[in-house]
Amino acid sequence: MSTLELGMIGNCAISALIGETGEIRWCCLPRFDGDPFFSSLLADERQAAERQAAERGFWSIEIDGMVDSSQRYEPNTAVLVTTMTDREGACLEIVDFCPRFRNFDRMFHPTMIVRQIRPLAGSPKIRVRIRPTTDYGSGRPTITRGSNHIRFVGPDHTMRLTTDATISYLLEETWFLLDKPLSLVLGPDESLTSGLSETARTFRERTESYWREWSRALSIPFEWQDVVIRSAITLKLSTFEETGAIVAAMTTSVPEAAGSERNWDYRLCWLRDAYFVVHALNRLSATKTLEHYLNYISNIAINVGSEDLQPLYGLSLAHKLDEYTVDGLAGYRGNGPVRVGNAAYTQIQNDVYGSVILAAAQTFFDSRIGRPGNEELYRELAKLGQMAVEKFDKPDAGIWELRTIASVHTFSALMCWAAADRLARIADRIGHTAEAATWRQHASDMRARIMKEAWNEELGSYVSTFGGDQMDASLLLMNELGFHSGTDARYVGTVAMIEKQLRKGDHLFRYVAPDDFGVPETAFNVCTFWFIEALAATGREEEAREMFDGILACRNKLGLLSEDVDPATGELWGNFPQTYSMVGMIKCAMRLSQKWEDAF
């Protein structure tokens, strides 16, 4: 049965998700949002127990008679190590990575997966099976062979597996003794420029060196260092380096709960994530990644023209992201449908104006940025700010993308307020005093309306919609965005009411009211992190630390976290690994950690 006990490798061009026994179960090519070359994570598993020939969409390296397996990352890297032992005590190790390192004054990150296998003890008997797919599981590439390689010819691209293993054993899926180290390099249909084993060894050494140097430059807290480093590496792996875009997750259609049909394609870039990702990268001092992402956001601001901002865009700023379902994949544990694209791009979500302006504001105040904010960018942001003023009190789908329900959402209004508030600061920064005063007046007017229209006196709390009576976890962000201090009575009351209605054990739901798909069944992990930060802001720091430890216990064995969790069982659900969840772990660890200067 599929689980989210998966490790992630990648190089900011491609990625792969690898199961506990070394099986690659998900990998899209030629980039994160491409056709899955390995797709078994979402395949029909009715035949899984017998492993019949019809199965496809995976790359497995199996040991005969396996009794134990374990996985770990090489410290502070994206290099994954899987160890397997058979009933006789024979043992092998698989090292998986995607090459990434600087070469000829530029970053080398090819469309390539390297797998190194070596015996550790005894004489393990192994089988290698590589069964790629095309057309979202519906087709298979044509397979041809050479003397030392196998070619997989698909409709859009061709991949070559170069190896020093016996080609016939791989093609016929024959069991054989592993009596020496083997290398398998899956990459472009090109010959390697040096020997295979030398290439694999050199690529590994240079890739490990790259990640260790990158990790060494991070700013990290005194406590939870491993949590922050692993989350930071995963966040970096979610960056599409060509454009600076950061995807919400590497998967599509892993449902929020079994049978819920809340199955969405998250291999895209949501503007709602922008501010929080920028905040996390800034705290980490991951300056180059931050700058590259800000460039992506700035391009959206400059290119939008007179059109409304969309809630999400493609990796290369694509606007049209039509959603459709595919027939070739049954879905995670049979929970279909499997969707490609996301119809949310057509929705009206008024919070996005604040998201872009909050993120882009960094370029005007951060002296490290190579291309600081300028007059041109300010003018484009001002256009978005004017739209925020106009849309502030208009109905929309809200942050949670309700598909058939439109209301004046408090969080959307709050983000429109933040847009005007930050534009006032930017205008002051670049010497536009009169314009700054205008933006401040807009912010003041919006603040007064929010405090009147979104406050429910009977509940003693802000509510999710103007004049409503339902709670929404996004209200927790009023403190982070600077609308209320953590000790403000209204904010404290809101946190208390959210806790009463949305908290289930150590987890928080987005909301509990029925939506387009019924009543939510799982907690949304980023909301739990928001609540932890709210506890700390309101002076409940010890409770925050306890709750943080609780959510950290839900991570998989490699320290990764998905979008959702079942509060009753702790089981992970939703797309994986979730960028929002990684950001939440980073921000909470930095907020709650003992200070370095107080530690000694």
Side-chain angles (χ1 to χ4, degrees):
M1 181 174 69
S2 285
T3 74
L4 297 181
E5 282 295 343
L6 302 166
M8 178 176 166
I9 61 172
N11 60 8
C12 304
I14 63 167
S15 69
L17 300 179
I18 303 176
E20 294 179 278
T21 57
E23 180 178 298
I24 298 182
R25 311 208 63 212
W26 186 257
C27 175
C28 297
L29 298 177
R31 62 187 203 179
F32 303 151
D33 59 351
D35 188 13
F37 194 71
F38 298 115
S39 56
S40 64
L41 182 67
L42 302 184
D44 190 341
E45 294 186 321
R46 288 173 295 181
Q47 299 173 328
E50 299 178 7
R51 282 289 196 183
Q52 295 183 10
E55 285 187 288
R56 56 188 184 269
F58 62 89
W59 182 0
S60 65
I61 298 170
E62 305 165 30
I63 185 171
D64 189 29
M66 186 189 73
V67 295
D68 185 52
S69 68
S70 63
Q71 281 185 314
R72 62 179 176 83
Y73 281 107
E74 290 288 4
N76 299 348
T77 77
V79 177
L80 184 65
V81 180
T82 305
T83 304
M84 292 188 285
T85 304
D86 70 15
R87 65 175 69 93
E88 304 298 327
C91 184
L92 65 82
E93 176 186 85
I94 308 167
V95 176
D96 289 312
F97 65 95
C98 296
R100 178 177 173 82
F101 50 85
R102 186 160 293 281
N103 195 45
F104 300 123
D105 295 323
R106 60 185 179 182
M107 193 58 65
F108 177 70
H109 49 93
T111 307
M112 180 180 290
I113 297 172
V114 178
R115 314 198 75 180
Q116 296 175 291
I117 317 169
R118 68 184 182 104
L120 298 180
S123 300
K125 182 180 176 182
I126 72 167
R127 176 171 65 172
V128 178
R129 299 197 291 170
I130 178 167
R131 296 184 179 182
T133 57
T134 61
D135 193 21
Y136 283 87
S138 294
R140 306 184 189 186
T142 300
I143 299 176
T144 64
R145 65 171 294 167
S147 56
N148 297 105
H149 69 264
I150 302 170
R151 297 171 74 244
F152 302 94
V153 183
D156 300 318
H157 55 266
T158 297
M159 298 294 287
R160 177 187 294 216
L161 176 68
T162 304
T163 182
D164 48 10
T166 302
I167 294 294
S168 293
Y169 289 169
L170 271 57
L171 289 171
E172 298 171 20
E173 300 181 351
T174 302
W175 291 95
F176 63 94
L177 288 178
L178 180 68
D179 54 4
K180 63 179 181 179
L182 298 176
S183 299
L184 302 96
V185 175
L186 179 70
D189 188 23
E190 304 166 357
S191 298
L192 298 177
T193 57
S194 59
L196 174 64
S197 60
E198 177 189 351
T199 297
R201 182 181 65 254
T202 300
F203 281 11
R204 175 182 174 181
E205 290 172 354
R206 297 188 69 179
T207 298
E208 288 182 347
S209 178
Y210 165 81
W211 285 112
R212 287 183 175 133
E213 288 299 317
W214 187 84
S215 299
R216 186 176 292 121
L218 295 174
S219 295
I220 59 173
F222 179 74
E223 299 177 86
W224 300 294
Q225 294 182 23
D226 290 343
V227 171
V228 170
I229 292 171
R230 182 52 49 200
S231 298
I233 290 173
T234 307
L235 184 58
K236 176 67 173 179
L237 290 174
S238 301
T239 303
F240 183 59
E241 186 156 306
E242 187 177 334
T243 64
I246 297 180
V247 294
M250 286 298 168
T251 58
T252 179
S253 304
V254 180
E256 295 178 18
S260 67
E261 295 194 16
R262 299 174 189 265
N263 305 10
W264 314 115
D265 190 349
Y266 273 16
R267 301 168 300 162
L268 302 161
C269 309
W270 268 259
L271 293 185
R272 71 181 178 210
D273 299 358
Y275 167 71
F276 306 101
V277 171
V278 166
H279 191 182
L281 292 171
N282 187 41
R283 296 290 297 274
L284 289 166
S285 294
T287 314
K288 289 184 179 179
T289 306
L290 168 63
E291 187 170 3
H292 211 24
Y293 183 53
L294 287 171
N295 186 55
Y296 175 83
I297 297 297
S298 297
N299 271 308
I300 290 175
I302 289 171
N303 290 326
V304 70
S306 61
E307 300 294 323
D308 288 340
L309 272 177
Q310 295 178 187
L312 64 152
Y313 291 85
L315 299 184
S316 51
L317 302 177
H319 290 63
K320 194 173 177 59
L321 306 168
D322 289 340
E323 180 180 305
Y324 61 94
T325 61
V326 297
D327 298 326
L329 296 170
Y332 181 77
R333 299 187 187 174
N335 288 286
V338 172
R339 294 184 170 95
V340 179
N342 199 306
Y345 86 93
T346 64
Q347 290 184 347
I348 300 299
Q349 292 181 31
N350 296 331
D351 61 291
V352 296
Y353 298 96
S355 297
V356 170
I357 291 168
L358 280 166
Q362 182 90 16
T363 65
F364 292 89
F365 296 93
D366 192 335
S367 298
R368 300 169 299 175
I369 301 297
R371 285 187 286 181
N374 55 22
E375 182 72 19
E376 179 187 8
L377 179 58
Y378 168 70
R379 291 299 165 200
E380 297 300 331
L381 295 178
K383 294 177 187 176
L384 300 181
Q386 189 57 46
M387 295 177 79
V389 171
E390 295 168 2
K391 294 173 178 292
F392 155 76
D393 57 355
K394 303 299 187 294
D396 72 348
I399 185 177
W400 307 125
E401 299 174 354
L402 302 175
R403 294 204 164 194
T404 62
I405 305 169
S407 303
V408 180
H409 287 95
T410 302
F411 181 74
S412 296
L414 176 67
M415 291 298 280
C416 289
W417 164 83
D421 178 78
R422 280 11 176 227
L423 280 168
R425 303 184 198 189
I426 293 170
D428 268 334
R429 176 79 169 184
I430 61 177
H432 295 312
T433 306
E435 292 183 39
T438 300
W439 289 119
R440 273 194 294 274
Q441 186 59 54
H442 285 312
S444 177
D445 293 343
M446 286 189 273
R447 177 183 173 83
R449 285 282 308 283
I450 292 170
M451 293 183 71
K452 178 182 178 182
E453 304 285 350
W455 178 257
N456 186 303
E457 190 65 40
E458 183 177 343
L459 295 177
S461 170
Y462 287 103
V463 288
S464 63
T465 59
F466 279 19
D469 59 4
Q470 298 294 319
M471 301 309 300
D472 177 349
S474 64
L475 300 172
L476 294 166
L477 297 171
M478 285 183 152
N479 170 249
E480 171 150 342
L481 294 171
F483 191 86
H484 277 312
S485 71
T487 57
D488 185 279
R490 287 195 169 204
Y491 183 70
V492 172
T494 301
V495 172
M497 189 54 61
I498 285 174
E499 180 172 24
K500 179 179 178 180
Q501 294 194 15
L502 304 185
R503 183 174 179 176
K504 308 292 182 184
D506 280 338
H507 306 281
L508 209 78
F509 281 64
R510 291 170 290 185
Y511 48 84
V512 292
D515 60 16
D516 308 306
F517 294 86
V519 176
E521 300 174 55
T522 53
F524 201 68
N525 289 326
V526 74
C527 296
T528 301
F529 292 120
W530 291 347
F531 186 72
I532 291 168
E533 290 197 84
L535 287 177
T538 54
R540 299 163 62 182
E541 185 126 351
E542 286 306 312
E543 292 177 67
R545 291 174 65 92
E546 290 174 8
M547 197 169 182
F548 188 46
D549 286 337
I551 186 66
L552 290 182
C554 293
R555 295 173 301 156
N556 73 10
K557 295 173 184 175
L558 290 166
L560 306 184
L561 197 57
S562 63
E563 178 189 48
D564 307 277
V565 66
D566 184 327
T569 65
E571 184 176 14
L572 298 180
W573 286 89
N575 282 305
F576 177 91
Q578 180 78 358
T579 296
Y580 242 169
S581 298
M582 299 299 117
V583 166
M585 284 193 282
I586 292 166
K587 291 174 76 270
C588 282
M590 292 194 167
R591 175 70 178 260
L592 298 173
S593 174
Q594 181 182 9
K595 292 181 171 53
W596 281 93
E597 55 267 29
D598 297 334
F600 301 101

